[in-house]
Amino acid sequence: MSLRWHAALLDPATPGGWAVVHCQQQFLFDSNGVLFPRDWLKRLELPLLSEQGLGYFDGDAVFLFELDRPVAVPGASWQGLRQFMLHNDDRDLFRMLGYAAQIGTWATQHRFCGHCGARMQQHARERAMHCPDCGIHHYPRLSPSMIVLITRGDELLLARSPRFAPGVYSTLAGYVEPGESVEQCVEREVREEVGVSIHSPRYITSQGWPFPHSLMLGFHAEYAAGEIVPQPEEIEDARWFSIHRLPELPARQSIARYLIELYLARRLGRDDPVLPG
Ligand SMILES: NC(=O)C1=CN([C@@H]2O[C@H](COP(=O)(O)OP(=O)(O)OC[C@H]3O[C@@H](n4cnc5c(N)ncnc54)[C@H](O)[C@@H]3O)[C@@H](O)[C@H]2O)C=CC1
Ligand SMILES: [Mg+2]
Ligand SMILES: [Zn+2]
């Protein structure tokens, strides 16, 4: 994996550097991209909720301006994080923006202490919000989620959520609940979402997924028994698809797509795919 982007705790009191401007999963961009000279941005008097020192991109310090609302800036426009992932092949840039979006959202949602209501402060030495009155720390929110490809020989079990783009079918996913192992989560979500049982779920790989704050833990499992019964509301349709007649699949940047392509490659004797970093 290349190292053009790496996160670091930079002090917002340090002058200069570059900044990205984020609000509600969107970033400001112009013909030069998403990085703006920070001192220039400061003069615009944007409705700033939080400023964070994010890390280094190509060796340059990068800060985040988290805004209260997506105000108009002359010569610039707003674009969603998902669009940057889908239409820009610069994975380092996407990793930086995914990190910025998660940090910005977390920082603004933790401005006040959930325990005593006092105003929280940024911790000086770690990425945490800290309550000066009762001492509580809040770290960036991260939700472990499992994602699993279920197969039966030449067939894949794929499903549609009502939130998907028309025609797209994907692997099953779901959030890990308190107290359960990821393997237990795999079994439970599969039972809830499609009603079948599986055997030998095997961990494959993981992917950070900033929509909105998931850590995807990818599995492969063999079908064991049962007829498909889609979970009302969550699953619009679920079917067995032959590896020779697949529906429209999820974005090539996703671990869902990777799990499918990996199985196809092994089954059809092709080279393994590469999961985008
Ligand atoms: N990178 C990839 O290839 C894919 C990633 N995903 C991601 O996996 C995650 C989980 O998948 P879903 O099927 O949506 O989960 P899910 O099957 O657990 O259901 C989602 C629902 O669970 C509830 N929920 C429970 N715990 C939650 C938490 N910690 N945060 C937010 N909502 C919670 C909410 O009501 C939400 O609508 C999502 O973030 C989704 O974006 C899903 C498919 C593919
Ligand atoms: Mg689900
Ligand atoms: Zn407190």
Side-chain angles (χ1 to χ4, degrees), residues 163 172-175 189 193 231 234-235:
R163 299 184 293 272
L172 303 177
Y175 292 104
E189 284 284 345
E193 293 196 342
Q231 182 178 26
E234 282 291 312
I235 304 293

Side-chain angles (χ1 to χ4, degrees), residues 8-256:
L9 197 65
L10 308 180
D11 183 356
T14 318
W18 300 89
V20 293
V21 187
H22 174 253
C23 184
Q24 299 156 12
Q25 294 274 90
Q26 298 190 83
F27 286 90
L28 198 66
F29 79 104
D30 70 6
S31 53
N32 294 312
V34 292
L35 290 168
F36 294 84
R38 183 163 163 243
D39 293 334
W40 177 80
L41 278 177
K42 282 199 166 157
R43 291 197 291 274
L44 298 183
E45 296 184 2
L46 298 166
L48 195 64
L49 283 180
S50 173
E51 187 178 6
Q52 303 272 326
L54 290 181
Y56 294 95
F57 192 83
D58 280 337
D60 292 334
V62 176
F63 294 79
L64 162 69
F65 284 32
E66 178 72 23
L67 301 194
D68 185 31
R69 48 189 195 283
V71 290
V73 173
S77 39
W78 292 90
Q79 182 167 288
L81 178 60
R82 202 173 279 272
Q83 304 309 311
F84 283 103
M85 176 185 77
L86 294 174
H87 306 302
N88 189 316
D89 281 333
D90 188 339
R91 285 301 292 182
D92 296 296
L93 183 77
F94 174 67
R95 286 197 302 121
M96 178 179 75
L97 296 182
Y99 183 75
Q102 288 181 80
I103 295 303
T105 304
W106 157 78
T108 58
Q109 291 177 353
H110 291 83
R111 283 177 294 152
F112 298 95
C113 177
H115 182 238
C116 77
R119 188 173 276 279
M120 305 279 274
Q121 296 172 349
Q122 270 166 239
H123 197 288
R125 289 178 309 282
E126 51 181 2
R127 185 81 65 197
M129 296 295 278
H130 167 249
C131 175
D133 285 10
C134 75
I136 276 186
H137 286 71
H138 278 289
Y139 294 90
R141 186 172 176 194
L142 204 52
S143 300
S145 310
M146 76 80 205
I147 181 157
V148 61
L149 172 65
I150 302 167
T151 60
R152 183 171 72 182
D154 269 355
E155 292 178 304
L156 315 185
L157 200 172
L158 301 177
R160 268 191 61 72
S161 145
R163 299 184 293 272
F164 288 1
V168 173
Y169 282 74
S170 184
T171 51
L172 303 177
Y175 292 104
V176 179
E177 290 185 355
E180 77 183 351
S181 68
V182 190
E183 288 76 7
Q184 286 165 340
C185 174
V186 174
E187 305 252 356
R188 176 183 54 75
E189 284 284 345
V190 169
R191 203 178 340 104
E192 288 175 2
E193 293 196 342
V194 292
V196 306
S197 61
I198 51 173
H199 62 74
S200 41
R202 193 165 54 86
Y203 174 73
I204 308 283
T205 189
S206 67
Q207 178 183 53
W209 189 247
F211 305 104
H213 39 64
S214 289
L215 169 62
M216 306 307 301
L217 301 152
F219 284 77
H220 172 247
E222 306 275 342
Y223 165 81
E227 290 296 317
I228 295 175
V229 181
Q231 182 178 26
E233 262 121 71
E234 282 291 312
I235 304 293
E236 192 173 87
D237 186 30
R239 300 183 202 174
W240 290 104
F241 290 95
S242 158
I243 57 171
H244 305 292
R245 272 186 69 117
L246 289 171
E248 201 175 323
L249 297 176
R252 64 189 164 78
Q253 296 86 351
S254 67
I255 189 171

